[in-house]
Amino acid sequence: MYIAQAYKGLSETWRYILGIFAVFLCWQIIGGIPLLAALLLKADSLAVVASGDLGVMANILGSNTFLFLMLLAFAIGLLSLFLYVRFVHKQSIKQLTTSRKKVDWNRILIAFLLWAVISTVFIFIDVQLSPEDYVFNFEPMPFLILAVIAIVMIPIQTSMEEYYIRGYLMQGLGVMSKNRWLPLLVTSLLFGIMHLFNPEVEKLGYGILIFYIGTGFFLGILTLMDEGLELALGFHAANNLTAALLVTADWTAFQTNSIYRDVSDPVLGWDVLVPVFVVYPILLLIFSRKYKWTDWKTRLTGKVPPEDIFLAQHADDTIPPKHT
């Protein structure tokens, strides 16, 4: 069981409570220092920085520099999470990633390629159907720099979100509550709430949270049904990478030198609802057939075994001695 992998480390409640806040502060505060310093050196006033306008910030630093510094915060956050898990929980990164004997890189690649192809097709269909909504924005050198930054940094950004929410929090809440439905519910809602301050919410309204929370549930279901983060890691990386490289807009979180710029008035429409209510269920069906998932009720809402029972069943594993 993926959640029960937490028992292979030190899983006391206080370690998770401290870790949730410590890693979040490293991610948001320490991780934000390089971007803040760069903005303060170039901005005319603190008011520009305090405004939180991503478009203004991108104009001040240049979109590629801004993107790199914004994503650097996630790299710092991911490093802090890995260090905390390794030295405070005495848990391996493999155990935070999967219940399999080793990380299944094929799963990551399959999920990545599948969603990259689907999302790319959706984008180009929309460009063809509504050409007046898009401006061809391609500039070779800025795009090349963007591609390098995006390919290196965006998988780190998405991995931070996956490891923190559907990895660390999922396991922590699971071993504390001794069930699967509560971690699924809480992490999915939290995933939506964490996007509450994205500029998309301001432009499209709170209805866009249907997409964010729906995506959270989809990724949580992937994790619990597949007993590991691999599919969620691949999907999330593909989603953000294609968005950064193919389409940008003045009102989105990613301000990039992408191939197209969306110049339409932002409207909450079918493109928000169709993925959640049509595409995600189809993807779950595809993955369930490929990986032969069974017993959905138990995997999504069943109990997490007590620590002593799980450790007795895995007595041959290398498990550190318990101490407080």
Side-chain angles (χ1 to χ4, degrees):
M1 293 175 62
Y2 173 67
I3 288 177
Q5 295 298 302
Y7 292 142
K8 294 183 178 180
L10 302 174
S11 57
E12 293 90 347
T13 299
W14 71 264
R15 296 179 194 272
Y16 281 102
I17 294 175
L18 177 62
I20 288 168
F21 289 102
V23 172
F24 187 80
L25 289 176
C26 287
W27 173 17
Q28 296 294 319
I29 305 301
I30 297 176
I33 289 175
L35 176 59
L36 179 62
L39 287 169
L40 290 176
L41 288 173
K42 287 207 168 187
D44 295 331
S45 67
L46 281 174
V48 174
V49 178
S51 69
D53 189 316
L54 298 182
V56 172
M57 295 180 186
N59 287 333
I60 291 173
L61 296 176
S63 62
N64 283 332
T65 300
F66 173 72
L67 179 66
F68 174 78
L69 292 174
M70 183 176 70
L71 297 178
L72 182 61
F74 290 86
I76 293 172
L78 185 61
L79 177 62
S80 69
L81 175 60
F82 284 171
L83 290 174
Y84 188 89
V85 167
R86 178 67 184 85
F87 292 104
V88 178
H89 287 277
K90 308 296 183 182
Q91 183 186 17
S92 71
I93 304 306
K94 192 276 291 184
Q95 291 160 356
L96 186 63
T97 306
T98 186
S99 61
R100 283 169 274 278
K101 293 183 178 180
K102 60 181 181 179
V103 176
D104 190 338
W105 293 97
N106 282 334
R107 274 174 156 83
I108 297 175
L109 182 61
I110 287 170
F112 178 91
L113 292 176
L114 179 61
W115 188 242
V117 170
I118 292 174
S119 56
T120 299
V121 169
F122 279 164
I123 288 171
F124 281 105
I125 287 176
D126 198 46
V127 171
Q128 294 302 314
L129 293 177
S130 305
E132 70 280 1
D133 291 341
Y134 296 91
V135 172
F136 190 65
N137 192 55
F138 179 72
E139 297 180 47
M141 188 52 64
F143 180 81
L144 180 61
I145 296 172
L146 165 66
V148 172
I149 294 172
I151 291 170
V152 173
M153 298 297 291
I154 284 181
I156 294 175
Q157 176 245 328
T158 55
S159 294
M160 172 56 193
E161 294 186 4
E162 290 305 312
Y163 274 106
Y164 184 69
I165 297 175
R166 269 162 293 276
Y168 189 68
L169 287 177
M170 182 82 80
Q171 287 187 349
L173 290 170
V175 298
M176 284 188 274
S177 66
K178 297 296 186 294
N179 64 57
R180 289 170 167 244
W181 67 264
L182 184 64
L184 175 60
L185 177 64
V186 172
T187 57
S188 301
L189 292 174
L190 182 61
F191 186 74
I193 292 171
M194 287 182 65
H195 292 83
L196 192 61
F197 299 104
N198 279 19
E200 291 92 336
V201 176
E202 180 181 350
K203 290 293 184 179
L204 297 173
Y206 292 112
I208 188 66
L209 291 179
I210 295 173
F211 173 75
Y212 290 129
I213 294 173
T215 302
F217 271 106
F218 169 68
L219 293 171
I221 291 170
L222 281 184
T223 300
L224 290 179
M225 289 304 301
D226 201 49
E227 298 290 5
L229 280 177
E230 290 99 332
L231 295 178
L233 287 168
F235 175 94
H236 201 163
N239 185 77
N240 287 22
L241 189 58
T242 54
L245 293 177
L246 297 181
V247 180
T248 191
D250 294 335
W251 45 272
T252 60
F254 280 167
Q255 304 284 313
T256 66
N257 292 294
S258 57
I259 294 176
Y260 288 98
R261 177 172 292 276
D262 185 346
V263 294
S264 64
D265 292 329
V267 177
L268 189 67
W270 68 268
D271 54 329
V272 171
L273 302 178
V274 168
V276 175
F277 296 107
V278 179
V279 180
Y280 291 169
I282 293 174
L283 287 176
L284 287 174
L285 179 61
I286 292 172
F287 286 130
S288 70
R289 294 288 180 85
K290 178 172 179 57
Y291 296 114
K292 298 178 174 57
W293 295 342
T294 59
D295 200 5
W296 288 64
K297 182 178 179 180
T298 299
R299 291 197 185 197
L300 297 180
T301 65
K303 294 181 179 180
V304 174
E307 182 176 8
D308 56 346
I309 293 177
F310 178 81
L311 295 182
Q313 294 172 342
H314 297 78
D316 293 335
D317 293 354
T318 301
I319 301 171
K322 297 291 176 180
H323 60 80
T324 58

